[in-house]
Amino acid sequence: MSYVDEVLAKVIEKNPSEPEFHQAVTEVFETIRPVIEEREDFFRREAILERITEPERIIRFRVPWVDDKGNVQVNMGIRVQFNSAIGPYKGGLRFHPSVNQCIIKFLGFEQVFKNSLTGLPIGGGKGGSDFDPKGKSDREIMAFCQSFMTELCKHIGADTDVPAGDIGVGGREIGYLFGQYKRIRGLYEGVLTGKGLTYGGSLARTEATGYGLVYITQELLKDKGMDLAGKTVCVSGAGNVAIYAIEKAQQFGAKVVTCSDSNGWVYDPEGIDLEALKEIKEVNRARLTEYKKYRPNSEYHEGRGVWQIKCDVALPCATQNELFIDDAKQLAANGCIAVCEGANMPTTLDATKYLQDNGIYFIPGKASNAGGVATSALEMSQNSERLSWTFEEVDGKLQGIMTNIYKNISAAASRYGKENDFVTGANIAGFEKVLNAMLAQGIC
Ligand code: NDP
């Protein structure tokens, strides 16, 4: 059995009931196979694949808090510090009822390669809780965040582990978490990113993931002799990533016709009204059913269905495993040119393969949504030098980073004879840097 298959089997055996983690490891292993097979004996002796799939540390803790009725609630908190070979652990916190160890491990594993691709000195980690922020009062959110940070603060720091936001963790939550860290540790340091502008946040961080996604999509299209201007785009999600992807795509002259939340989706043939969407989601924190009030000619449908709409470019920006094989077939039948992931692992493995086999350009999230974490790293730099850069300066650096990511993943794919296979390119380019750093640092 080859070394790759041997370790893949071991990972599945050692981590039962962790399907998303298996999925993420399988995808990476399948694509870095040629790199490993070049020096298989050496890598086996070094146990490099065993080391890269075992988190350096998993911290799991109880989060007790008091709700508005005076009842004590208990949630699970977790931080997976996956790999620190190239820098302090960096990765978001997710608050969502679907959070469990498997989900956080898969996200942490992906984060290692994504962070490497940014070219910045950041290792990989991820964390969160099964706490559901939906329907909670501000006071309940604060109580939860303070309790969560009371434990987490023992394990993080500006030079060790720097969490950020993710699903369910936005500016409000980061503020409460930062306040509690400062209170307990007595340190005013860049321990979290995604902070508000009055206390160490970076301009353009809010926009960064969505903007970065569109920058790399445009880079891909330009490389293939096309342009986003005039293209029809389908977006899923209606959160941070989706909203700013829609904004930048519209600025580039594309027409975005869909968005969704976990209850349903909107089709607006005239193009999404971004102001209305921002008011619904960012100001009123309401559901997409509201959208029709602003745009009577739009359609609202319960359930999922964004990918059945004809488009040139698809940008899945909601959550993992939201674009299935049937969706991939529909996109291909509708003449879609490119799928670039805004969310983490929104496309299932078989759907990815179908898209690639049918000539649709596919950029995986670890490359195309890396703009968020890259800008978080720029926030860390600003915090270290106690300076704030202008929006244009940060946005300019973000554009440069996304262009470089595209060039690097393209080049890595070509080096192994896999032209236009950006999944392979992203995994190889991300892996090589971490690998070299791990080997240089000895057995650790
Ligand atoms: P938000 O919480 O702001 O938004 C998530 C959106 O997706 C919401 O509209 C939500 O709807 C929808 N959604 C969540 N779960 C489901 C589901 N099971 N089915 C359908 N829709 C769903 O999160 P973000 O925009 O920050 O993150 C979106 C994705 O992007 C995640 O995969 C995240 O890991 C990834 N990402 C985010 C980065 C960032 O900087 N924010 C950076 C890199 C990756 P509802 O409101 O109904 O729950």
Side-chain angles (χ1 to χ4, degrees):
M1 202 191 264
S2 77
Y3 175 47
V4 168
D5 292 324
E6 224 174 79
V7 181
L8 195 52
K10 253 194 252 172
V11 167
I12 292 171
E13 192 193 319
K14 270 178 65 180
N15 303 277
S17 319
E18 296 196 347
E20 286 87 358
F21 183 56
H22 302 164
Q23 184 182 342
V25 173
T26 303
E27 185 215 272
V28 170
F29 275 22
E30 287 307 335
T31 49
I32 62 170
R33 198 181 276 277
V35 181
I36 299 297
E37 284 176 357
E38 273 175 356
R39 298 161 73 196
E40 194 175 71
D41 289 346
F42 171 71
F43 288 131
R44 185 183 269 119
R45 205 171 50 245
E46 289 287 323
I48 203 74
L49 295 178
E50 287 90 333
R51 281 198 271 157
I52 212 152
T53 48
E54 188 66 44
E56 286 176 23
R57 196 169 301 102
I58 298 181
I59 302 137
R60 217 187 129 117
F61 49 97
R62 180 170 67 209
V63 190
W65 56 282
V66 180
D67 69 18
D68 284 348
K69 294 191 183 113
N71 295 321
V72 177
Q73 301 288 339
V74 180
N75 287 98
M76 179 274 294
I78 184 166
R79 183 76 180 161
V80 175
Q81 298 180 331
F82 219 112
N83 192 303
S84 62
I86 63 171
Y89 312 103
K90 179 97 200 81
L93 297 173
R94 176 176 292 192
F95 292 170
H96 193 273
S98 64
V99 164
N100 55 38
Q101 180 164 306
C102 162
I103 296 287
I104 298 301
K105 272 175 71 181
F106 115 66
L107 290 164
F109 182 70
E110 291 277 298
Q111 196 81 42
V112 174
F113 306 100
K114 178 192 304 192
N115 292 2
S116 164
L117 282 174
T118 65
L120 302 169
I122 38 178
K126 196 84 187 183
S129 170
D130 58 359
F131 172 73
D132 186 358
K134 278 204 199 89
K136 303 288 190 300
S137 68
D138 271 3
R139 196 210 59 81
E140 288 176 321
I141 299 278
M142 182 172 74
F144 174 80
C145 288
Q146 289 183 338
S147 180
F148 184 85
M149 184 52 89
T150 300
E151 180 61 32
L152 186 69
C153 75
K154 299 168 190 163
H155 311 284
I156 61 175
D159 294 313
T160 48
D161 184 354
V162 183
D166 188 67
I167 292 179
V169 180
R172 174 181 57 172
E173 291 76 17
I174 293 289
Y176 294 147
L177 292 164
F178 183 74
Q180 185 73 352
Y181 179 86
K182 185 166 60 78
R183 227 168 131 198
I184 301 181
R185 297 286 302 268
L187 291 170
Y188 203 110
E189 60 172 4
V191 67
L192 289 156
T193 57
K195 298 187 291 300
L197 294 177
T198 52
Y199 62 97
S202 172
L203 284 162
R205 174 60 188 92
T206 306
E207 296 83 354
T209 309
Y211 277 22
L213 168 66
V214 175
Y215 291 144
I216 202 166
T217 305
Q218 175 73 327
E219 203 58 39
L220 162 72
L221 292 183
K222 270 174 31 196
D223 187 39
K224 306 300 174 194
M226 295 177 277
D227 196 285
L228 258 176
K231 297 279 184 297
T232 300
V233 176
C234 279
V235 168
S236 63
N240 172 266
V241 180
I243 286 176
Y244 292 96
I246 295 172
E247 180 164 290
K248 186 50 74 179
Q250 290 181 343
Q251 286 172 10
F252 277 171
K255 181 155 95 168
V256 183
V257 292
T258 63
C259 61
S260 64
D261 62 19
S262 42
N263 297 111
W265 58 286
V266 162
Y267 172 49
D268 188 341
E270 291 157 22
I272 295 291
D273 179 342
L274 191 64
E275 286 317 304
L277 184 63
K278 281 188 179 177
E279 192 169 305
I280 295 166
K281 285 295 173 185
E282 293 185 336
V283 182
N284 302 334
R285 296 178 190 268
R287 311 307 300 162
L288 276 180
T289 38
E290 298 292 303
Y291 186 82
K292 216 172 158 48
K293 291 186 190 153
Y294 296 81
R295 304 276 281 188
N297 291 338
S298 67
E299 295 171 18
Y300 175 79
H301 302 272
E302 290 287 324
R304 47 187 306 284
V306 162
W307 312 121
Q308 58 190 261
I309 300 296
K310 184 172 166 54
C311 65
D312 303 303
V313 173
L315 304 176
C317 297
T319 190
Q320 66 273 359
N321 292 334
E322 50 146 324
L323 198 161
F324 300 97
I325 180 85
D326 288 343
D327 302 316
K329 287 181 182 166
Q330 185 71 63
L331 286 166
N334 284 343
C336 179
I337 303 163
V339 175
C340 303
E341 296 184 324
N344 285 315
M345 213 168 72
T347 316
T348 58
L349 284 177
D350 54 353
T352 302
K353 186 166 180 335
Y354 187 88
L355 294 170
Q356 291 179 316
D357 288 349
N358 285 276
I360 297 175
Y361 299 117
F362 176 84
I363 306 195
K366 63 172 73 73
S368 47
N369 70 28
V373 74
T375 308
S376 279
L378 300 179
E379 184 175 327
M380 289 165 72
S381 302
Q382 294 170 74
N383 292 162
S384 298
E385 56 177 29
R386 304 213 186 281
L387 288 174
S388 298
W389 304 341
T390 63
F391 187 97
E392 290 68 29
E393 201 172 347
V394 179
D395 191 37
K397 287 189 200 305
L398 170 64
Q399 284 186 53
I401 289 166
M402 298 315 293
T403 304
N404 274 338
I405 293 177
Y406 179 74
K407 290 197 172 126
N408 289 341
I409 64 175
S410 259
S414 300
R415 244 189 299 132
Y416 284 89
K418 298 261 185 179
E419 209 88 22
N420 293 328
D421 178 349
F422 302 111
V423 176
T424 297
N427 287 335
I428 290 180
F431 173 69
E432 281 179 338
K433 183 172 171 191
V434 177
L435 169 73
N436 290 335
M438 285 176 74
L439 291 175
Q441 290 169 29
I443 310 299
C444 58

